[in-house]
Amino acid sequence: MERNENPGLDGVIATEMPPAQLQLGDCLRGFDSPLDAQTVVTCDSAHNAQMIGSFEVSGTDYPGASELLTQSEDLCKSVSLDPSAGLDSTWTYHFSRPSQSTWEQGDRAVSCFLSLAEGNVRTSLLPPEATDNATDEDSSEPDNGNSDDESQKAEETTES
């Protein structure tokens, strides 16, 4: 999926971006679920969510849904956010994590998102330095073009 390096006034960088191709710091317009294809926009245009973290969990044996849920929540809540972003109780954590079937296919990715239930913001939730030197750890993963795997991921939502 191509990213528009020079988004217009609408701020749209990409539409229908598969969840597996999102990058750390991506601001998302019309976010509903981390398992849906997303509209990626510039963080200074109106958006209601942001990908704030991406982690790989380790282990060979599937730890079980509740253990993975706890791990994912702890990882997502460990992300340092910009204190000037004005986060409050209207923001909700969302994360996708491996399901047992995607785990058996080698999936260890946990993606973390924060979203607003109502309204939009025009700022990034991450400190400026967090996205300046962000590296794309997922680039070594082959894209087999099989998007069915993604729909098997589990989603969780927790109030911040």
Side-chain angles (χ1 to χ4, degrees):
M1 168 82 30
E2 289 282 315
R3 286 175 175 259
N4 180 359
E5 299 302 323
N6 300 301
L9 292 175
D10 62 0
V12 175
I13 295 170
T15 57
E16 296 298 313
M17 178 68 73
Q21 293 179 26
L22 292 173
Q23 297 173 2
L24 179 64
D26 277 352
C27 289
L28 309 171
R29 182 177 294 164
F31 178 90
D32 195 37
S33 160
L35 306 182
D36 295 340
Q38 303 293 342
T39 298
V40 180
V41 297
T42 58
C43 290
D44 59 3
S45 67
H47 61 279
N48 70 330
Q50 186 170 5
M51 182 175 179
I52 58 160
S54 175
F55 299 94
E56 293 284 322
V57 290
S58 55
T60 49
D61 296 330
Y62 183 68
S66 63
E67 172 59 31
L68 208 46
L69 171 63
T70 302
Q71 257 188 333
S72 299
E73 192 171 356
D74 290 347
L75 286 168
C76 291
K77 291 191 173 180
S78 74
V79 173
S80 295
L81 300 170
D82 187 342
S84 70
L87 285 169
D88 58 26
S89 62
T90 60
W91 288 89
T92 305
Y93 280 90
H94 301 266
F95 39 93
S96 63
R97 66 189 193 289
S99 65
Q100 184 152 7
S101 64
T102 64
W103 183 277
E104 288 164 4
Q105 297 162 11
D107 179 17
R108 300 292 184 274
V110 171
S111 298
C112 307
F113 301 86
L114 270 171
S115 80
L116 272 173
E118 292 178 12
N120 289 296
V121 294
R122 292 175 177 269
T123 182
S124 175
L125 304 175
L126 295 172
E129 64 275 7
T131 50
D132 287 349
N133 53 12
T135 56
D136 186 10
E137 309 95 49
D138 301 336
S139 58
S140 61
E141 200 153 303
D143 180 18
N144 60 9
N146 183 354
S147 61
D148 294 343
D149 299 351
E150 202 60 40
S151 62
Q152 301 299 312
K153 274 182 115 65
E155 172 197 354
E156 286 302 325
T157 300
T158 55
E159 299 301 319
S160 57

